[in-house]
Amino acid sequence: MYTDLVMDHFSNPRNVGEIEDADGVGQIGNPVCGDVMRISIDVDDDRIADVKFKTFGCGAAVATSSMVTEMVKGKTLAEAAEISNRAVADALGGLPPNKMHCSNLAADALHLAIQDYLVKAGREADVPQILKALPKDHAHSSH
Amino acid sequence: MTSVYFDHAATTPVDPRVLEQMLPFFCERYGNPSEVHRLGRDARTAVERARAQVAAGLGAGEKEIVFTAGGTEADNLALIGYLQRFEPGHFIISAIEHPAVMEAARALNRLGWAVDFIPVDGDGVIDVDAYEQAFRDDTKLASVMYANNVVGTIQPIAELARVAHEKGAAFHTDAVQGVGSVPIDVGALGVDMLTLSGHKLYGPKGIGALYVKRGTRLTPLIHGGGHERRLRSGTENVPGIVGLGAAVDLAQAQLAETRPRLEALRDRLARGVLESVPDVKYLGHPTERLPGNVAFTVRYIEGESMLLQLDAHGFMVSSGSACASGSLEPSHVILALGLGAEEAHGSLRLTLGRENTREEADAFIEVFPPIVDKLRQMSPLYVKG
């Protein structure tokens, strides 16, 4: 049901934890749905210098969180903002169809962390330009 | 590598002694029981011998056993087959039934039948007062499972059947998890119909049976040549039926030995988990439960992730979390116990069987706490208390 890469990221997750006094933090999902992802970032010179995650959820939720942290380290904010949930799933070699909806929100959590950073840094005006598609109030909360 | 199977409520291996009895009926004794020639008569004899074995295991008469293609079909035959004879009225089931009963009930509901789902308490025991009060003048049937597949709670079936009869309704119980694990006597229980399944008691998959008390009239769901006393058409699954008979027979012979052994193993496992992992809640009734069922919920983490970690360590278990069930909702059984969705997502079920040992239980208690710890360190919900 899961690819070897998903199982690898689930069993040996990269960048687990929380950055103290992070420049930006994004959290998505809720425990009632069975998935909560929190991503914290440090930003240096408009690039993601460090990123960590904490996730409550199934194998797919952990693996996508782990994968997105690997994908964005060192990327510019604009590059990181381009990464979609779909791209994370593709990088893992795909997810089972029933996991695409509920457990594939890691990119959304990352985008919220970038938004949080921009707001905290007084760059609210940059939000629409950098984050073209902000995560919508996710269908997730309606379950 | 370690390979420990703690998922016997999902399915059991076929006992080699059962398989041995089945094998001749594939290539050598392959006759159709409806035929009068020698091979046909031989197959008929085997089917009727198995029927007698199943009947003996339940304290039933041979004519009261109908073979089906499994527990789901037997449940459907009980509910739909029984109620189809009447104009749509009302029937009752519990809130924690297996989908085979739950979805059959919903199908009847779409056909105009009113149905009440009776709640359970925190231990998973049906609310007997609410059950009694749910009966109406047009209530035709009540169906309550003998023992729950998720949390193992055993229901007061004899009392529930008596109430149904006082109210003029028939009573069915899905005893798929009970038969073979605990002694079951249909006469003592006073039920009109009872479901059992082969692959939950070391028999093959694809075979089950419905006990139908003499005088209980059903309409068949599957129409054809009129097999199984017109209740279930289709050429008999002879090897499966032989296997079911052998499995029931074997379970009966071993019950006195396996039951106390599994209960001790169950309690050892439960105690070990509760003592070694903080913030764990035991689910189901403390004593009125299946001998092999250990169910609990672990706070702050999710069931499928526990299940996958345990699998990587060679332990095969099951979870009632939404992810593990393949739906978006956590187990309706665990929610019915009054737990929140967050707790339900963290549920784990270990179901023991004949071949499990004390060493395996101890190995689990060894492996499990670090897994919980690892996942909690990863969880944004976990605040070390």
Side-chain angles (χ1 to χ4, degrees):
Chain A
M1 121 190 189
Y2 286 136
T3 64
D4 289 346
L5 200 52
V6 171
M7 284 311 294
D8 178 43
H9 274 268
F10 168 71
S11 306
N12 311 294
R14 282 65 144 174
N15 307 307
V16 176
E18 223 152 347
I19 299 173
E20 263 182 67
D21 301 320
D23 292 339
V25 178
Q27 179 165 318
I28 198 157
N30 76 58
V32 173
C33 302
D35 289 295
V36 180
M37 300 173 186
R38 181 151 74 214
I39 290 189
S40 50
I41 54 171
D42 267 349
V43 180
D44 200 6
D45 203 12
D46 236 32
R47 281 181 191 275
I48 295 184
D50 197 9
V51 53
K52 290 203 183 308
F53 82 91
K54 279 203 166 185
T55 288
F56 163 84
C58 63
V62 172
T64 52
S65 307
S66 169
M67 177 53 95
V68 85
T69 60
E70 275 214 322
M71 289 168 79
V72 299
K73 223 176 226 184
K75 289 258 184 357
T76 65
L77 294 180
E79 286 165 346
E82 293 284 312
I83 294 170
S84 64
N85 289 330
R86 164 69 69 172
V88 176
D90 287 348
L92 286 165
L95 288 175
N98 62 333
K99 301 286 185 182
M100 288 300 285
H101 167 75
C102 67
S103 310
N104 186 24
L105 302 167
D108 289 349
L110 170 73
H111 297 163
L112 289 173
I114 294 173
Q115 183 191 27
D116 183 51
Y117 160 73
L118 290 171
V119 170
K120 277 183 187 161
R123 296 172 55 189
E124 217 159 344
D126 292 344
V127 171
Q129 197 211 328
I130 292 177
L131 287 163
K132 285 166 192 90
L134 256 185
K136 289 181 257 337
D137 191 10
H138 210 270
H140 218 60
S141 52
S142 65
H143 291 305
Chain B
M1 175 183 154
T2 314
S3 180
V4 178
Y5 186 75
F6 282 163
D7 201 15
H8 292 80
T11 194
T12 56
V14 175
D15 190 291
R17 290 162 287 186
V18 170
L19 178 65
E20 194 188 336
Q21 294 195 45
M22 292 171 65
L23 285 176
F25 293 93
F26 285 98
C27 299
E28 301 140 41
R29 302 168 66 181
Y30 51 82
N32 184 328
S34 297
E35 298 300 331
V36 283
H37 50 61
R38 183 174 52 78
L39 272 178
R41 289 196 309 276
D42 175 57
R44 169 60 57 203
T45 306
V47 166
E48 296 314 317
R49 179 169 174 268
R51 198 185 309 278
Q53 287 172 316
V54 173
L58 302 174
E62 289 166 30
K63 289 183 176 169
E64 296 176 313
I65 303 299
V66 179
F67 291 117
T68 65
T72 295
E73 189 195 324
D75 282 340
N76 274 264
L77 177 59
L79 269 73
I80 300 172
Y82 185 76
L83 292 176
Q84 256 182 5
R85 293 172 43 241
F86 303 97
E87 288 297 306
H90 174 249
F91 67 103
I92 292 167
I93 68 172
S94 86
I96 59 167
E97 293 300 313
H98 185 275
V101 166
M102 204 60 104
E103 295 306 316
R106 295 214 170 96
L108 284 158
N109 182 245
R110 289 191 289 274
L111 293 173
W113 283 86
V115 53
D116 274 317
F117 301 86
I118 310 300
V120 296
D121 66 15
D123 291 336
V125 181
I126 193 165
D127 180 337
V128 179
D129 288 338
Y131 169 79
E132 200 161 351
Q133 282 159 23
F135 284 87
R136 316 191 318 202
D137 288 345
D138 62 344
T139 305
K140 299 295 183 208
L141 178 72
S143 177
V144 178
M145 70 201 321
Y146 182 89
N148 184 261
N149 50 310
V150 181
V151 296
T153 302
I154 296 174
Q155 304 295 340
I157 294 298
E159 184 184 356
L160 300 175
R162 184 178 51 73
V163 170
H165 293 152
E166 278 170 16
K167 305 279 185 181
F171 188 88
H172 164 254
T173 186
D174 175 342
V176 160
Q177 296 290 339
V179 176
S181 292
V182 288
I184 286 182
D185 184 286
V186 288
L189 291 176
V191 299
D192 301 297
M193 293 176 280
L194 178 144
T195 295
L196 70 143
S197 166
H199 75 105
K200 309 289 191 185
L201 50 109
Y202 300 84
K205 294 170 180 66
I207 189 71
L210 183 67
Y211 157 78
V212 184
K213 188 180 180 179
R214 189 181 302 245
T216 308
R217 291 187 53 204
L218 301 181
T219 305
L221 303 184
I222 297 179
H223 303 274
H227 307 77
E228 293 298 293
R229 298 158 46 81
R230 314 199 76 81
L231 285 176
R232 206 291 182 179
S233 286
T235 297
E236 295 87 342
N237 171 4
V238 180
I241 289 170
V242 168
L244 179 61
V248 170
D249 206 35
L250 195 61
Q252 279 296 106
Q254 299 195 335
L255 201 54
E257 184 270 321
T258 52
R259 190 186 180 195
R261 199 174 66 75
L262 286 185
E263 283 173 344
L265 208 54
R266 169 195 74 191
D267 295 341
R268 183 183 183 88
L269 203 44
R271 209 170 36 244
V273 168
L274 290 168
E275 281 171 4
S276 59
V277 184
D279 292 320
V280 170
K281 187 188 278 177
Y282 197 41
L283 301 177
H285 197 280
T287 53
E288 290 301 306
R289 69 188 298 140
L290 290 169
N293 177 292
V294 179
F296 51 86
T297 176
V298 184
R299 289 210 62 187
Y300 314 119
I301 56 178
E302 195 271 340
E304 191 205 78
S305 55
M306 280 187 273
L307 191 154
L308 289 172
Q309 291 280 358
L310 284 166
D311 191 37
H313 285 83
F315 290 88
M316 288 165 272
V317 305
S318 158
S319 166
S321 84
C323 281
S325 69
S327 75
L328 292 172
E329 305 294 331
S331 159
H332 70 286
V333 175
I334 294 172
L335 296 177
L337 302 181
L339 272 72
E342 181 192 337
E343 283 182 289
H345 285 299
S347 74
L348 216 57
R349 177 187 77 176
L350 321 178
T351 44
L352 314 175
R354 281 176 202 164
E355 71 279 10
N356 289 137
T357 63
R358 232 169 90 152
E359 287 68 31
E360 290 174 336
D362 290 346
F364 181 88
I365 297 163
E366 195 85 356
V367 157
F368 189 54
I371 287 176
V372 171
D373 209 44
K374 178 179 174 181
L375 291 170
R376 279 182 174 166
Q377 292 309 325
M378 218 189 284
S379 169
L381 309 180
Y382 181 55
V383 188
K384 209 159 189 172

